[in-house]
Structures are given as C-alpha cells and as structure tokens.
Amino acid sequence: MREQAQSGHPVPQTPAAHLPVLFAQVMDGLRVIEDGRYLDGTFGRGGHARGVLQRLGPGGRLLLMDKDPEAIAEAEASFGGDARVSIRRGSFAALGGWEQAQGLDGVLFDLGVSSPQLDQAQRGFSFGKDGPLDMRMDPESGRSAAQWLADADEAEIADVLWRYGEERQSRRIARALVARRAQQPIERTAQLAELIASAMPRGKSGADKSRIHPATRSFQAIRIHINRELADLEAGLDAALAALRPGGRLAVISFHSLEDRIVKRFVAGHAKAPPANRRLPPAQAFVPALAAIGGAIRAEEDELAANPRARSAVLRVAQKLERQP
C-alpha cells in the first residue's frame, strides 16, 4: 500500500492512518464482484485489501501476498480469522506456484516501497532518516545494500545507478563509493547520502533544478537492484495473466518510469499485434490476450493535497480476454 484514498468509495480503516494510493480508482478498475476471487500481491498494510474484502460476499475469496514479514504479520492480525482470506509470504513473482491463485477475477500489484517501510529508519530505505543501510523488502533474505556496496566493483555500481536510477553522475558516484569504502565501510543511510552529495559536480550537491535530493536516484537504483524489483515485476505480470480467468482484471500501480514502462509494454504486447516485418515470413495470426481499460490513471488534486507521495503514482488496468478457438 503506497498511501492515500479518493472520494467516491468508502475509505477503509487502516492501521496508523495509512490510506492507499488511488483507492477509488483501484476499486473501479478491479470491478469487484461479491463471489469473486482476488489477489493482492503487495499487501503492505492492507488498505486496498480491506476495500476488496468489504465488497466480497460470503462466497468470495481474497488471497494476500507480501515479501515483508511485518506486512504478513499485519495481514495475519487483521484477516487471519476471516475464512474468505488466505495469506502467503513471498514475492508476487511466484504467485504461479500458489495452487489457490488460479481462476482469479482480479490481481493487484502496488509496486515500490511502502510508507511504513520508508518511515522506519531501521529498514534503511530513506536517506531522510539515518539507519542501517539495509533496503531489503524481506530483511531475512538476500544481501543488504551495505553488503552489496562492500564488494561490488566500480563498473557494476555505476551500471546499477545508471540502469535503475538513470543517474547521470553514476560513474562519478561509483568511483567515490569505492574510494571511501577502502577507508571505512559504508553502513549507514546518512553516510551514503552524504557521500553521494559530496561526489556531485560543483553546483549540484544541494537541491538541483528539479529540487530533489542528490541521493534520490541512487537510493532508488540500489533498492531496485537489491530487491530484484523489475525482474520480479516481469515474472509477476506473466504469472498474473496466467492466473486470471477470462474477464478478470489486472491493476498495477507504479511509482517511477521504469516500472510503468514495463507494465505499459506488457499490456500493449498482449493487446496489439506487433508491426509486420516484410523481410520475415508471415507470422501466425495474433490473438490478443488483454485489453487495456483506459490509459494511465493518476491521482487527482484533492488526493495530492492530502498525500504528496501520490504524485508519482500511475495506475494501469487491463482485462483478460476470452481466447478464440
């Protein structure tokens, strides 16, 4: 859940006043039916899940997934006693391995890092709060950002910063990181943020023309790399399409252009035939598997006023089509 709600639908009550981004638009997009089967692949703190559950009748089912053990603990505490709900810890990339996740009427992915994760300094996602440099969505699995930075070579660091953060100063920052770690380990978020700022060319170490912190793109890039976010998204989209029944809806909220580009291309690739190439033999007749429901959906002004973090949120919705014989 990546925070805030919209008018037009009842707003679910969520812990610590967290409200899901684009709530009404997601509910409209999923088009929840009382006896339907739905999967929320990024439970977070459950704002969207509560909205779906409110619309389900006794015969409906809601499947919940999340990598984060804290999110799963919240799901168990909030929904563990509801017979309509099943909970599974793990990445939505592996939803195809969940036997219950078949014949779904709707799938939701709310991508990126959640507000509770950002707000906890010990999780290491934010340069605004000094804490251990972790950044793992599942802190019990894989390598932390500090561990990766301790031994990744300069070229790999630069590639990650450019590929996932589109950071123009990626090589300069990577060079500074490697030089600094030879003197002392880079283990704190404030330490990394200060180092990145100091590595920027003169005149760019403070807020630049776009008024973002100089460490913003690098933190995003490292987080995406550590959590394999884009690879998981590609696998998750394929798994969601396979799990949806004809007529089922896929709704994905992304927060930066790399994610949105993958979602947009996925929907388009399954909705439209690729351009013909006269140099190649005629391809087999294209059968669309998805239809886009509208275009990119963004938060409206009242939501943005209440939650500035919603400014970068983009929702895309698609519907699975009946395959023609």
Side-chain angles (χ1 to χ4, degrees), residues 197-247:
S198 67
M200 289 294 186
R202 188 172 182 179
K204 291 181 179 279
S205 59
D208 62 16
K209 291 181 180 179
S210 62
R211 297 186 178 182
I212 66 169
H213 191 282
T216 300
R217 295 185 181 91
S218 295
F219 267 66
Q220 170 188 294
I222 295 169
R223 189 204 81 219
I224 289 172
H225 175 70
I226 291 298
N227 293 289
R228 289 178 42 86
E229 291 179 39
L230 301 189
D232 275 9
L233 174 57
E234 291 173 344
L237 290 170
D238 286 334
L241 177 57
L244 284 167
R245 68 163 184 81

mmCIF file of all heavy atoms in Angstrom, residues 197-247:
data_model
loop_
_atom_site.group_PDB
_atom_site.id
_atom_site.type_symbol
_atom_site.label_atom_id
_atom_site.label_comp_id
_atom_site.label_asym_id
_atom_site.label_seq_id
_atom_site.Cartn_x
_atom_site.Cartn_y
_atom_site.Cartn_z
ATOM 1 N N ALA A 197 26.115 13.114 -2.180
ATOM 2 C CA ALA A 197 26.029 14.570 -2.339
ATOM 3 C C ALA A 197 27.407 15.187 -2.560
ATOM 4 O O ALA A 197 27.583 16.079 -3.404
ATOM 5 C CB ALA A 197 25.358 15.182 -1.122
ATOM 6 N N SER A 198 28.403 14.703 -1.815
ATOM 7 C CA SER A 198 29.750 15.269 -1.939
ATOM 8 C C SER A 198 30.408 14.902 -3.261
ATOM 9 O O SER A 198 31.337 15.592 -3.708
ATOM 10 C CB SER A 198 30.624 14.789 -0.774
ATOM 11 O OG SER A 198 30.866 13.393 -0.857
ATOM 12 N N ALA A 199 29.943 13.812 -3.896
ATOM 13 C CA ALA A 199 30.527 13.381 -5.174
ATOM 14 C C ALA A 199 29.960 14.126 -6.368
ATOM 15 O O ALA A 199 30.509 14.041 -7.470
ATOM 16 C CB ALA A 199 30.298 11.873 -5.351
ATOM 17 N N MET A 200 28.873 14.847 -6.166
ATOM 18 C CA MET A 200 28.251 15.563 -7.275
ATOM 19 C C MET A 200 29.145 16.714 -7.761
ATOM 20 O O MET A 200 29.891 17.295 -6.965
ATOM 21 C CB MET A 200 26.898 16.133 -6.845
ATOM 22 C CG MET A 200 25.826 15.073 -6.645
ATOM 23 S SD MET A 200 25.413 14.273 -8.195
ATOM 24 C CE MET A 200 24.043 13.232 -7.680
ATOM 25 N N PRO A 201 29.062 17.038 -9.062
ATOM 26 C CA PRO A 201 29.834 18.185 -9.554
ATOM 27 C C PRO A 201 29.470 19.450 -8.800
ATOM 28 O O PRO A 201 28.355 19.577 -8.276
ATOM 29 C CB PRO A 201 29.408 18.292 -11.027
ATOM 30 C CG PRO A 201 28.890 16.945 -11.382
ATOM 31 C CD PRO A 201 28.293 16.388 -10.125
ATOM 32 N N ARG A 202 30.379 20.368 -8.740
ATOM 33 C CA ARG A 202 30.149 21.623 -8.017
ATOM 34 C C ARG A 202 28.903 22.303 -8.551
ATOM 35 O O ARG A 202 28.689 22.395 -9.760
ATOM 36 C CB ARG A 202 31.357 22.544 -8.179
ATOM 37 C CG ARG A 202 31.283 23.771 -7.298
ATOM 38 C CD ARG A 202 32.599 24.537 -7.358
ATOM 39 N NE ARG A 202 32.559 25.701 -6.484
ATOM 40 C CZ ARG A 202 33.575 26.532 -6.315
ATOM 41 N NH1 ARG A 202 34.715 26.316 -6.962
ATOM 42 N NH2 ARG A 202 33.467 27.572 -5.513
ATOM 43 N N GLY A 203 28.048 22.767 -7.636
ATOM 44 C CA GLY A 203 26.803 23.420 -8.021
ATOM 45 C C GLY A 203 25.630 22.471 -8.055
ATOM 46 O O GLY A 203 24.498 22.896 -8.223
ATOM 47 N N LYS A 204 25.883 21.144 -7.892
ATOM 48 C CA LYS A 204 24.803 20.176 -7.923
ATOM 49 C C LYS A 204 24.697 19.405 -6.615
ATOM 50 O O LYS A 204 23.918 18.465 -6.510
ATOM 51 C CB LYS A 204 25.008 19.173 -9.068
ATOM 52 C CG LYS A 204 24.832 19.771 -10.449
ATOM 53 C CD LYS A 204 25.021 18.702 -11.501
ATOM 54 C CE LYS A 204 24.824 19.273 -12.891
ATOM 55 N NZ LYS A 204 23.419 19.385 -13.257
ATOM 56 N N SER A 205 25.485 19.739 -5.620
ATOM 57 C CA SER A 205 25.489 18.962 -4.391
ATOM 58 C C SER A 205 24.272 19.250 -3.521
ATOM 59 O O SER A 205 23.888 18.446 -2.695
ATOM 60 C CB SER A 205 26.761 19.238 -3.583
ATOM 61 O OG SER A 205 26.841 20.604 -3.273
ATOM 62 N N GLY A 206 23.666 20.405 -3.695
ATOM 63 C CA GLY A 206 22.441 20.704 -2.970
ATOM 64 C C GLY A 206 21.243 20.294 -3.788
ATOM 65 O O GLY A 206 21.331 19.459 -4.677
ATOM 66 N N ALA A 207 20.095 20.904 -3.513
ATOM 67 C CA ALA A 207 18.912 20.626 -4.331
ATOM 68 C C ALA A 207 19.157 21.152 -5.733
ATOM 69 O O ALA A 207 19.557 22.287 -5.928
ATOM 70 C CB ALA A 207 17.686 21.290 -3.713
ATOM 71 N N ASP A 208 18.976 20.283 -6.737
ATOM 72 C CA ASP A 208 19.219 20.702 -8.106
ATOM 73 C C ASP A 208 17.985 21.406 -8.649
ATOM 74 O O ASP A 208 17.068 21.755 -7.925
ATOM 75 C CB ASP A 208 19.635 19.514 -8.974
ATOM 76 C CG ASP A 208 18.554 18.451 -9.061
ATOM 77 O OD1 ASP A 208 17.396 18.756 -8.722
ATOM 78 O OD2 ASP A 208 18.867 17.323 -9.462
ATOM 79 N N LYS A 209 18.000 21.635 -9.998
ATOM 80 C CA LYS A 209 16.907 22.389 -10.599
ATOM 81 C C LYS A 209 15.557 21.718 -10.390
ATOM 82 O O LYS A 209 14.528 22.369 -10.365
ATOM 83 C CB LYS A 209 17.191 22.581 -12.086
ATOM 84 C CG LYS A 209 18.363 23.518 -12.354
ATOM 85 C CD LYS A 209 18.585 23.699 -13.847
ATOM 86 C CE LYS A 209 19.761 24.642 -14.107
ATOM 87 N NZ LYS A 209 20.008 24.826 -15.552
ATOM 88 N N SER A 210 15.549 20.382 -10.279
ATOM 89 C CA SER A 210 14.286 19.678 -10.059
ATOM 90 C C SER A 210 13.949 19.572 -8.575
ATOM 91 O O SER A 210 12.955 18.975 -8.201
ATOM 92 C CB SER A 210 14.352 18.279 -10.680
ATOM 93 O OG SER A 210 15.376 17.523 -10.063
ATOM 94 N N ARG A 211 14.826 20.112 -7.731
ATOM 95 C CA ARG A 211 14.594 20.187 -6.287
ATOM 96 C C ARG A 211 14.454 18.816 -5.632
ATOM 97 O O ARG A 211 13.694 18.644 -4.693
ATOM 98 C CB ARG A 211 13.360 21.045 -5.979
ATOM 99 C CG ARG A 211 13.520 22.490 -6.407
ATOM 100 C CD ARG A 211 12.351 23.340 -5.960
ATOM 101 N NE ARG A 211 12.540 24.723 -6.343
ATOM 102 C CZ ARG A 211 11.680 25.709 -6.053
ATOM 103 N NH1 ARG A 211 10.576 25.447 -5.386
ATOM 104 N NH2 ARG A 211 11.927 26.946 -6.435
ATOM 105 N N ILE A 212 15.188 17.843 -6.127
ATOM 106 C CA ILE A 212 15.232 16.561 -5.443
ATOM 107 C C ILE A 212 16.590 16.411 -4.794
ATOM 108 O O ILE A 212 17.588 16.990 -5.233
ATOM 109 C CB ILE A 212 14.953 15.384 -6.398
ATOM 110 C CG1 ILE A 212 16.068 15.250 -7.444
ATOM 111 C CG2 ILE A 212 13.600 15.532 -7.064
ATOM 112 C CD1 ILE A 212 15.992 13.971 -8.229
ATOM 113 N N HIS A 213 16.641 15.624 -3.735
ATOM 114 C CA HIS A 213 17.904 15.380 -3.038
ATOM 115 C C HIS A 213 18.863 14.665 -3.988
ATOM 116 O O HIS A 213 18.446 13.800 -4.767
ATOM 117 C CB HIS A 213 17.639 14.530 -1.793
ATOM 118 C CG HIS A 213 18.814 14.430 -0.877
ATOM 119 N ND1 HIS A 213 19.879 13.594 -1.135
ATOM 120 C CD2 HIS A 213 19.094 15.054 0.299
ATOM 121 C CE1 HIS A 213 20.772 13.697 -0.163
ATOM 122 N NE2 HIS A 213 20.320 14.583 0.708
ATOM 123 N N PRO A 214 20.144 15.002 -3.958
ATOM 124 C CA PRO A 214 21.089 14.372 -4.887
ATOM 125 C C PRO A 214 21.202 12.858 -4.731
ATOM 126 O O PRO A 214 21.666 12.177 -5.654
ATOM 127 C CB PRO A 214 22.420 15.064 -4.569
ATOM 128 C CG PRO A 214 22.233 15.717 -3.250
ATOM 129 C CD PRO A 214 20.795 16.058 -3.146
ATOM 130 N N ALA A 215 20.776 12.310 -3.600
ATOM 131 C CA ALA A 215 20.864 10.862 -3.392
ATOM 132 C C ALA A 215 19.614 10.117 -3.850
ATOM 133 O O ALA A 215 19.592 8.884 -3.825
ATOM 134 C CB ALA A 215 21.121 10.558 -1.916
ATOM 135 N N THR A 216 18.580 10.828 -4.279
ATOM 136 C CA THR A 216 17.299 10.198 -4.585
ATOM 137 C C THR A 216 17.429 9.089 -5.619
ATOM 138 O O THR A 216 16.971 7.959 -5.409
ATOM 139 C CB THR A 216 16.290 11.253 -5.075
ATOM 140 O OG1 THR A 216 16.090 12.233 -4.046
ATOM 141 C CG2 THR A 216 14.956 10.610 -5.427
ATOM 142 N N ARG A 217 18.033 9.383 -6.746
ATOM 143 C CA ARG A 217 18.118 8.396 -7.835
ATOM 144 C C ARG A 217 18.994 7.211 -7.452
ATOM 145 O O ARG A 217 18.694 6.068 -7.803
ATOM 146 C CB ARG A 217 18.639 9.065 -9.102
ATOM 147 C CG ARG A 217 17.709 10.130 -9.671
ATOM 148 C CD ARG A 217 18.241 10.668 -10.995
ATOM 149 N NE ARG A 217 17.363 11.706 -11.527
ATOM 150 C CZ ARG A 217 17.501 12.998 -11.275
ATOM 151 N NH1 ARG A 217 18.481 13.416 -10.496
ATOM 152 N NH2 ARG A 217 16.677 13.885 -11.797
ATOM 153 N N SER A 218 20.062 7.471 -6.739
ATOM 154 C CA SER A 218 20.956 6.377 -6.342
ATOM 155 C C SER A 218 20.294 5.452 -5.339
ATOM 156 O O SER A 218 20.428 4.221 -5.432
ATOM 157 C CB SER A 218 22.254 6.941 -5.760
ATOM 158 O OG SER A 218 22.991 7.652 -6.743
ATOM 159 N N PHE A 219 19.583 6.005 -4.372
ATOM 160 C CA PHE A 219 18.878 5.161 -3.404
ATOM 161 C C PHE A 219 17.828 4.306 -4.110
ATOM 162 O O PHE A 219 17.672 3.123 -3.816
ATOM 163 C CB PHE A 219 18.236 6.021 -2.312
ATOM 164 C CG PHE A 219 19.093 6.209 -1.092
ATOM 165 C CD1 PHE A 219 20.283 6.916 -1.168
ATOM 166 C CD2 PHE A 219 18.719 5.667 0.122
ATOM 167 C CE1 PHE A 219 21.084 7.087 -0.043
ATOM 168 C CE2 PHE A 219 19.508 5.830 1.261
ATOM 169 C CZ PHE A 219 20.705 6.544 1.171
ATOM 170 N N GLN A 220 17.099 4.908 -5.047
ATOM 171 C CA GLN A 220 16.107 4.152 -5.808
ATOM 172 C C GLN A 220 16.780 3.009 -6.560
ATOM 173 O O GLN A 220 16.307 1.870 -6.544
ATOM 174 C CB GLN A 220 15.402 5.061 -6.810
ATOM 175 C CG GLN A 220 14.516 4.312 -7.807
ATOM 176 C CD GLN A 220 13.988 5.209 -8.904
ATOM 177 O OE1 GLN A 220 13.203 6.107 -8.633
ATOM 178 N NE2 GLN A 220 14.422 4.984 -10.142
ATOM 179 N N ALA A 221 17.882 3.305 -7.210
ATOM 180 C CA ALA A 221 18.562 2.296 -8.025
ATOM 181 C C ALA A 221 19.072 1.140 -7.185
ATOM 182 O O ALA A 221 18.900 -0.036 -7.549
ATOM 183 C CB ALA A 221 19.726 2.951 -8.772
ATOM 184 N N ILE A 222 19.686 1.449 -6.065
ATOM 185 C CA ILE A 222 20.222 0.390 -5.204
ATOM 186 C C ILE A 222 19.096 -0.469 -4.652
ATOM 187 O O ILE A 222 19.185 -1.704 -4.621
ATOM 188 C CB ILE A 222 21.071 1.011 -4.072
ATOM 189 C CG1 ILE A 222 22.311 1.694 -4.663
ATOM 190 C CG2 ILE A 222 21.482 -0.064 -3.059
ATOM 191 C CD1 ILE A 222 23.077 2.550 -3.673
ATOM 192 N N ARG A 223 18.001 0.164 -4.242
ATOM 193 C CA ARG A 223 16.855 -0.586 -3.722
ATOM 194 C C ARG A 223 16.279 -1.528 -4.778
ATOM 195 O O ARG A 223 15.986 -2.687 -4.500
ATOM 196 C CB ARG A 223 15.781 0.399 -3.274
ATOM 197 C CG ARG A 223 14.618 -0.226 -2.518
ATOM 198 C CD ARG A 223 13.382 0.642 -2.619
ATOM 199 N NE ARG A 223 12.681 0.427 -3.868
ATOM 200 C CZ ARG A 223 12.104 1.396 -4.584
ATOM 201 N NH1 ARG A 223 12.154 2.649 -4.196
ATOM 202 N NH2 ARG A 223 11.469 1.090 -5.703
ATOM 203 N N ILE A 224 16.103 -1.028 -5.991
ATOM 204 C CA ILE A 224 15.569 -1.857 -7.069
ATOM 205 C C ILE A 224 16.479 -3.052 -7.337
ATOM 206 O O ILE A 224 16.016 -4.186 -7.512
ATOM 207 C CB ILE A 224 15.372 -1.018 -8.342
ATOM 208 C CG1 ILE A 224 14.209 -0.045 -8.158
ATOM 209 C CG2 ILE A 224 15.125 -1.909 -9.557
ATOM 210 C CD1 ILE A 224 14.058 0.950 -9.290
ATOM 211 N N HIS A 225 17.784 -2.802 -7.341
ATOM 212 C CA HIS A 225 18.744 -3.880 -7.588
ATOM 213 C C HIS A 225 18.723 -4.913 -6.467
ATOM 214 O O HIS A 225 18.666 -6.119 -6.737
ATOM 215 C CB HIS A 225 20.147 -3.286 -7.723
ATOM 216 C CG HIS A 225 21.219 -4.316 -7.859
ATOM 217 N ND1 HIS A 225 21.374 -5.089 -8.983
ATOM 218 C CD2 HIS A 225 22.198 -4.716 -6.985
ATOM 219 C CE1 HIS A 225 22.391 -5.918 -8.825
ATOM 220 N NE2 HIS A 225 22.905 -5.710 -7.613
ATOM 221 N N ILE A 226 18.767 -4.457 -5.238
ATOM 222 C CA ILE A 226 18.814 -5.374 -4.084
ATOM 223 C C ILE A 226 17.587 -6.277 -4.054
ATOM 224 O O ILE A 226 17.680 -7.477 -3.746
ATOM 225 C CB ILE A 226 18.910 -4.567 -2.765
ATOM 226 C CG1 ILE A 226 20.276 -3.881 -2.647
ATOM 227 C CG2 ILE A 226 18.651 -5.459 -1.549
ATOM 228 C CD1 ILE A 226 21.456 -4.813 -2.591
ATOM 229 N N ASN A 227 16.441 -5.742 -4.399
ATOM 230 C CA ASN A 227 15.186 -6.497 -4.311
ATOM 231 C C ASN A 227 14.752 -7.139 -5.634
ATOM 232 O O ASN A 227 13.662 -7.714 -5.699
ATOM 233 C CB ASN A 227 14.074 -5.575 -3.792
ATOM 234 C CG ASN A 227 14.298 -5.155 -2.363
ATOM 235 O OD1 ASN A 227 14.165 -5.940 -1.443
ATOM 236 N ND2 ASN A 227 14.664 -3.892 -2.168
ATOM 237 N N ARG A 228 15.554 -6.990 -6.680
ATOM 238 C CA ARG A 228 15.226 -7.568 -7.997
ATOM 239 C C ARG A 228 13.816 -7.145 -8.436
ATOM 240 O O ARG A 228 13.037 -7.923 -8.969
ATOM 241 C CB ARG A 228 15.300 -9.102 -7.952
ATOM 242 C CG ARG A 228 16.678 -9.663 -7.833
ATOM 243 C CD ARG A 228 16.663 -11.194 -7.740
ATOM 244 N NE ARG A 228 15.718 -11.791 -8.674
ATOM 245 C CZ ARG A 228 16.000 -12.076 -9.933
ATOM 246 N NH1 ARG A 228 17.194 -11.794 -10.432
ATOM 247 N NH2 ARG A 228 15.092 -12.641 -10.717
ATOM 248 N N GLU A 229 13.501 -5.881 -8.231
ATOM 249 C CA GLU A 229 12.126 -5.419 -8.410
ATOM 250 C C GLU A 229 11.636 -5.511 -9.847
ATOM 251 O O GLU A 229 10.493 -5.902 -10.099
ATOM 252 C CB GLU A 229 11.984 -3.983 -7.880
ATOM 253 C CG GLU A 229 12.107 -3.897 -6.376
ATOM 254 C CD GLU A 229 12.003 -2.476 -5.857
ATOM 255 O OE1 GLU A 229 11.170 -1.702 -6.387
ATOM 256 O OE2 GLU A 229 12.763 -2.125 -4.939
ATOM 257 N N LEU A 230 12.465 -5.155 -10.807
ATOM 258 C CA LEU A 230 11.997 -5.159 -12.190
ATOM 259 C C LEU A 230 11.893 -6.581 -12.737
ATOM 260 O O LEU A 230 10.943 -6.901 -13.470
ATOM 261 C CB LEU A 230 12.907 -4.301 -13.063
ATOM 262 C CG LEU A 230 13.031 -2.830 -12.647
ATOM 263 C CD1 LEU A 230 13.775 -2.036 -13.708
ATOM 264 C CD2 LEU A 230 11.667 -2.208 -12.385
ATOM 265 N N ALA A 231 12.820 -7.447 -12.364
ATOM 266 C CA ALA A 231 12.729 -8.848 -12.781
ATOM 267 C C ALA A 231 11.504 -9.505 -12.159
ATOM 268 O O ALA A 231 10.781 -10.273 -12.823
ATOM 269 C CB ALA A 231 13.995 -9.602 -12.383
ATOM 270 N N ASP A 232 11.247 -9.207 -10.885
ATOM 271 C CA ASP A 232 10.056 -9.750 -10.224
ATOM 272 C C ASP A 232 8.782 -9.227 -10.881
ATOM 273 O O ASP A 232 7.795 -9.962 -11.025
ATOM 274 C CB ASP A 232 10.050 -9.386 -8.744
ATOM 275 C CG ASP A 232 10.863 -10.360 -7.899
ATOM 276 O OD1 ASP A 232 11.558 -11.218 -8.480
ATOM 277 O OD2 ASP A 232 10.797 -10.263 -6.654
ATOM 278 N N LEU A 233 8.781 -7.956 -11.283
ATOM 279 C CA LEU A 233 7.602 -7.389 -11.934
ATOM 280 C C LEU A 233 7.316 -8.115 -13.248
ATOM 281 O O LEU A 233 6.164 -8.471 -13.529
ATOM 282 C CB LEU A 233 7.808 -5.897 -12.183
ATOM 283 C CG LEU A 233 6.720 -5.180 -12.981
ATOM 284 C CD1 LEU A 233 5.349 -5.343 -12.324
ATOM 285 C CD2 LEU A 233 7.061 -3.702 -13.142
ATOM 286 N N GLU A 234 8.332 -8.337 -14.047
ATOM 287 C CA GLU A 234 8.126 -9.030 -15.321
ATOM 288 C C GLU A 234 7.581 -10.435 -15.104
ATOM 289 O O GLU A 234 6.638 -10.868 -15.782
ATOM 290 C CB GLU A 234 9.439 -9.061 -16.104
ATOM 291 C CG GLU A 234 9.856 -7.687 -16.609
ATOM 292 C CD GLU A 234 11.236 -7.691 -17.249
ATOM 293 O OE1 GLU A 234 11.996 -8.667 -17.030
ATOM 294 O OE2 GLU A 234 11.549 -6.725 -17.967
ATOM 295 N N ALA A 235 8.161 -11.157 -14.128
ATOM 296 C CA ALA A 235 7.677 -12.511 -13.832
ATOM 297 C C ALA A 235 6.268 -12.474 -13.255
ATOM 298 O O ALA A 235 5.425 -13.328 -13.565
ATOM 299 C CB ALA A 235 8.630 -13.200 -12.861
ATOM 300 N N GLY A 236 6.000 -11.486 -12.415
ATOM 301 C CA GLY A 236 4.687 -11.375 -11.788
ATOM 302 C C GLY A 236 3.586 -11.058 -12.781
ATOM 303 O O GLY A 236 2.464 -11.570 -12.668
ATOM 304 N N LEU A 237 3.878 -10.224 -13.754
ATOM 305 C CA LEU A 237 2.878 -9.905 -14.779
ATOM 306 C C LEU A 237 2.525 -11.145 -15.591
ATOM 307 O O LEU A 237 1.345 -11.406 -15.867
ATOM 308 C CB LEU A 237 3.398 -8.803 -15.699
ATOM 309 C CG LEU A 237 3.520 -7.411 -15.072
ATOM 310 C CD1 LEU A 237 4.271 -6.466 -16.004
ATOM 311 C CD2 LEU A 237 2.159 -6.831 -14.724
ATOM 312 N N ASP A 238 3.528 -11.928 -15.970
ATOM 313 C CA ASP A 238 3.258 -13.171 -16.695
ATOM 314 C C ASP A 238 2.412 -14.119 -15.847
ATOM 315 O O ASP A 238 1.449 -14.728 -16.342
ATOM 316 C CB ASP A 238 4.573 -13.862 -17.074
ATOM 317 C CG ASP A 238 5.304 -13.180 -18.218
ATOM 318 O OD1 ASP A 238 4.635 -12.513 -19.039
ATOM 319 O OD2 ASP A 238 6.535 -13.308 -18.295
ATOM 320 N N ALA A 239 2.765 -14.242 -14.564
ATOM 321 C CA ALA A 239 2.027 -15.142 -13.681
ATOM 322 C C ALA A 239 0.596 -14.665 -13.468
ATOM 323 O O ALA A 239 -0.336 -15.474 -13.398
ATOM 324 C CB ALA A 239 2.754 -15.259 -12.338
ATOM 325 N N ALA A 240 0.407 -13.349 -13.359
ATOM 326 C CA ALA A 240 -0.935 -12.808 -13.157
ATOM 327 C C ALA A 240 -1.820 -13.073 -14.365
ATOM 328 O O ALA A 240 -2.987 -13.448 -14.221
ATOM 329 C CB ALA A 240 -0.855 -11.303 -12.887
ATOM 330 N N LEU A 241 -1.266 -12.886 -15.555
ATOM 331 C CA LEU A 241 -2.047 -13.136 -16.767
ATOM 332 C C LEU A 241 -2.492 -14.600 -16.822
ATOM 333 O O LEU A 241 -3.642 -14.899 -17.155
ATOM 334 C CB LEU A 241 -1.226 -12.785 -18.007
ATOM 335 C CG LEU A 241 -1.886 -13.051 -19.358
ATOM 336 C CD1 LEU A 241 -3.209 -12.319 -19.490
ATOM 337 C CD2 LEU A 241 -0.948 -12.662 -20.497
ATOM 338 N N ALA A 242 -1.591 -15.498 -16.465
ATOM 339 C CA ALA A 242 -1.931 -16.923 -16.473
ATOM 340 C C ALA A 242 -2.979 -17.255 -15.415
ATOM 341 O O ALA A 242 -3.818 -18.147 -15.617
ATOM 342 C CB ALA A 242 -0.675 -17.761 -16.250
ATOM 343 N N ALA A 243 -2.954 -16.556 -14.283
ATOM 344 C CA ALA A 243 -3.859 -16.872 -13.172
ATOM 345 C C ALA A 243 -5.248 -16.278 -13.344
ATOM 346 O O ALA A 243 -6.210 -16.761 -12.727
ATOM 347 C CB ALA A 243 -3.250 -16.370 -11.864
ATOM 348 N N LEU A 244 -5.385 -15.222 -14.149
ATOM 349 C CA LEU A 244 -6.681 -14.581 -14.333
ATOM 350 C C LEU A 244 -7.603 -15.440 -15.200
ATOM 351 O O LEU A 244 -7.168 -16.061 -16.166
ATOM 352 C CB LEU A 244 -6.510 -13.216 -14.999
ATOM 353 C CG LEU A 244 -5.993 -12.073 -14.120
ATOM 354 C CD1 LEU A 244 -5.592 -10.895 -14.994
ATOM 355 C CD2 LEU A 244 -7.036 -11.653 -13.096
ATOM 356 N N ARG A 245 -8.856 -15.434 -14.867
ATOM 357 C CA ARG A 245 -9.862 -16.055 -15.737
ATOM 358 C C ARG A 245 -10.216 -15.055 -16.835
ATOM 359 O O ARG A 245 -9.994 -13.844 -16.677
ATOM 360 C CB ARG A 245 -11.111 -16.422 -14.939
ATOM 361 C CG ARG A 245 -11.887 -15.214 -14.433
ATOM 362 C CD ARG A 245 -13.288 -15.571 -14.009
ATOM 363 N NE ARG A 245 -14.040 -14.388 -13.611
ATOM 364 C CZ ARG A 245 -14.629 -13.547 -14.461
ATOM 365 N NH1 ARG A 245 -14.535 -13.741 -15.763
ATOM 366 N NH2 ARG A 245 -15.293 -12.491 -14.012
ATOM 367 N N PRO A 246 -10.788 -15.498 -17.951
ATOM 368 C CA PRO A 246 -11.263 -14.548 -18.953
ATOM 369 C C PRO A 246 -12.267 -13.567 -18.330
ATOM 370 O O PRO A 246 -13.181 -13.975 -17.615
ATOM 371 C CB PRO A 246 -11.932 -15.445 -19.994
ATOM 372 C CG PRO A 246 -11.221 -16.749 -19.868
ATOM 373 C CD PRO A 246 -10.924 -16.900 -18.403
ATOM 374 N N GLY A 247 -12.058 -12.298 -18.572
ATOM 375 C CA GLY A 247 -12.883 -11.262 -17.948
ATOM 376 C C GLY A 247 -12.273 -10.702 -16.683
ATOM 377 O O GLY A 247 -12.724 -9.670 -16.180
#
